[in-house]
Amino acid sequence: MAIIKTDQLVTLDNHINNEEFKHPGASGEFTGLLHNLTFAIKIISRDVRRAGLNDVLGMTEDTNVHGEQVKRLDEHANETIIRIMQNSGRIAVMASEENEEIITVPENRKRGKYVLVFDPLDGSSNIDVNVTIGTIFGIYKKITDTGGVEDVLQSGYEQVGAGYALYGSSTIFTYSTGKGVNMFAYDPTVGEFLLINENVQIPQKSTYYSVNEGNYNKWSSGMQSFVDYLKIIDKDSGRPYTQRYIGTGIADIHRTLLYGGIFLYPSDMNHKNGKLRLVYEANPLAFLIEQAGGRATDGKNRILELKPKNFHERTPLFLGSINDVLKLEEFLANENK
Ligand code: AHM
Ligand code: MG
């Protein structure tokens, strides 16, 4: 079965404009915001492709708020998004993985009603080795007058849009405004994203799992038993599952969206909340996976219903095909019985 479908010639701009018609009373501000964001994505995509040539690969001397070394390309992607969105007139406030504090709009610029949370370049450890990296974003409506921390601490179900760009063998842009998930591929020769997969649906069950299994001995017994179970030979349930792990969360989740299966980043004995960040990684991804008919939890609770206290907080994350995630939850629920 071909995963990619291209029976019509629809550009991302046309698609975004058509989506606006589905929301009665839309002012065009949201549409404008998406146009601006995809402009930033085009610039980042170009710069990722030229990274080796431009000598922007490699570490800076800085560390980010999580104490990790920041690569120059991360900073560049971060600045590109901030500069474009601060000038868009559509933003009230933003939060980025690379900034300790929220990002406001300067006094002399127009403010809008939307809140943007993003990870400018996910998969930092893969930048230097030419492996797929991506940008993740979530969009909310502001709930304060001026745009402040409260706006970026909304629960994930309040998102009015979410998506990602993937800088892989081609540049892919995937987004949802709460009416299904649509996927586009960038054609650099004409400068347009073209629709390749409309209303993406994740398979209900699959035979892939994606996890950093090097951490096995640090996991809880339920998590260990689940992964052991996936490896038992059983033809009827499609086991053993196939393991795939790129180490760029957004690339692993892109594959999960198309092929199904389960992506896991659990807590472990050193990291009680796992590694991934709730606000600008887990929530946008959970929104997309649910829109595609899948399931996203922290092992017990729906990711989209968690209430962030800090916009850099982490959460365990399990997402993918509904039946695979339900099976995992069964193992976790039974671990202390
Ligand atoms: P980053 O946002 O600094 O790139 O870190 C998040 C990344 C995810 O893309 C990926 O799922 C995870 O870290 C991989 O972590 P690990 O190396 O522990 O397997
Ligand atoms: Mg990340």
Side-chain angles (χ1 to χ4, degrees):
M1 179 193 68
I3 293 276
I4 291 178
K5 301 163 200 142
T6 43
D7 53 344
Q8 323 158 46
L9 198 55
V10 179
T11 66
L12 176 57
D13 279 359
N14 286 342
H15 198 272
I16 292 173
N17 288 334
N18 283 324
E19 284 287 292
E20 191 185 322
F21 292 131
K22 294 185 195 163
H23 293 81
S27 63
E29 194 174 329
F30 184 74
T31 303
L33 181 149
L34 282 176
H35 285 308
N36 282 288
L37 196 55
T38 54
F39 177 53
I41 299 293
K42 284 182 188 176
I43 292 183
I44 298 169
S45 174
R46 180 201 62 191
D47 294 337
V48 167
R49 304 289 172 219
R50 293 178 56 84
L53 297 172
N54 285 346
D55 191 33
V56 288
L57 291 178
M59 304 282 185
T60 63
E61 286 168 9
D62 296 333
T63 52
N64 71 11
V65 290
H66 309 287
E68 299 154 341
Q69 273 183 295
V70 177
K71 313 254 176 166
R72 274 192 264 169
L73 206 52
D74 300 41
E75 281 179 0
H76 179 69
N78 195 39
E79 278 166 23
T80 301
I81 295 173
I82 293 172
R83 280 163 56 200
I84 290 176
M85 300 318 291
Q86 277 182 331
N87 282 307
S88 70
R90 271 105 188 186
I91 291 293
V93 64
M94 295 182 275
S96 161
E97 175 175 331
E98 299 298 339
N99 293 63
E100 193 163 355
E101 307 292 340
I102 52 170
I103 305 152
T104 52
V105 177
E107 289 296 328
N108 58 354
R109 316 251 175 94
K110 186 179 169 224
R111 289 191 189 170
K113 60 172 183 250
Y114 288 103
V115 177
L116 181 69
V117 296
F118 59 98
D119 178 354
L121 219 45
D122 181 50
S124 338
S125 64
N126 279 327
I127 295 177
D128 278 352
V129 285
N130 210 2
V131 172
T132 299
I133 46 183
T135 301
I136 308 170
F137 65 90
I139 303 168
Y140 297 82
K141 277 195 181 141
K142 69 171 187 174
I143 50 173
T144 65
D145 283 345
T146 47
V149 178
E150 244 181 88
D151 294 291
V152 302
L153 294 178
Q154 298 183 61
S155 292
Y157 67 82
E158 302 278 12
Q159 286 171 111
V160 292
Y164 63 84
L166 203 64
Y167 314 107
S169 47
S170 54
T171 295
I172 298 288
F173 183 83
T174 302
Y175 85 109
S176 174
T177 57
K179 296 194 184 318
V181 178
N182 299 291
M183 205 173 271
F184 301 78
Y186 187 56
D187 182 342
T189 62
V190 293
E192 292 280 2
F193 283 97
L194 301 172
L195 182 65
I196 55 166
N197 205 337
E198 200 168 18
N199 197 17
V200 179
Q201 290 292 308
I202 184 170
Q204 295 210 327
K205 179 190 175 308
S206 184
T207 53
Y208 289 96
Y209 75 105
S210 189
V211 69
N212 183 344
E213 217 166 329
N215 293 327
Y216 183 92
N217 287 320
K218 297 187 200 165
W219 294 340
S220 71
S221 60
M223 178 65 200
Q224 288 178 334
S225 314
F226 176 67
V227 170
D228 292 343
Y229 162 84
L230 297 180
K231 295 193 281 194
I232 294 169
I233 298 170
D234 176 52
K235 215 168 154 208
D236 292 344
S237 57
R239 289 176 290 150
Y241 275 27
T242 294
Q243 205 258 10
R244 291 278 183 273
Y245 193 69
I246 297 165
T248 295
I250 190 56
D252 282 312
I253 287 156
H254 174 72
R255 183 197 54 251
T256 305
L257 193 57
L258 291 173
Y259 287 173
I262 183 166
F263 171 88
L264 314 98
Y265 211 110
S267 53
D268 62 44
M269 59 169 68
N270 304 121
H271 307 97
K272 74 174 176 43
N273 291 318
K275 178 176 182 190
L276 301 181
R277 286 69 159 197
L278 174 59
V279 169
Y280 40 78
E281 292 180 321
N283 270 334
L285 300 173
F287 185 84
L288 291 165
I289 288 284
E290 284 198 5
Q291 282 294 315
R295 184 174 175 89
T297 74
D298 66 357
K300 280 196 195 119
N301 312 293
R302 184 178 171 222
I303 290 289
L304 295 182
E305 284 176 21
L306 301 175
K307 175 76 182 107
K309 292 187 188 64
N310 171 317
F311 68 84
H312 289 302
E313 82 187 43
R314 298 169 195 264
T315 178
L317 178 64
F318 307 101
L319 55 76
S321 298
I322 193 158
N323 291 333
D324 290 317
V325 179
L326 285 172
K327 192 61 157 177
L328 175 265
E329 286 169 22
E330 217 176 282
F331 275 84
L332 295 183
N334 287 331
E335 73 186 339
N336 294 321
K337 284 187 184 160

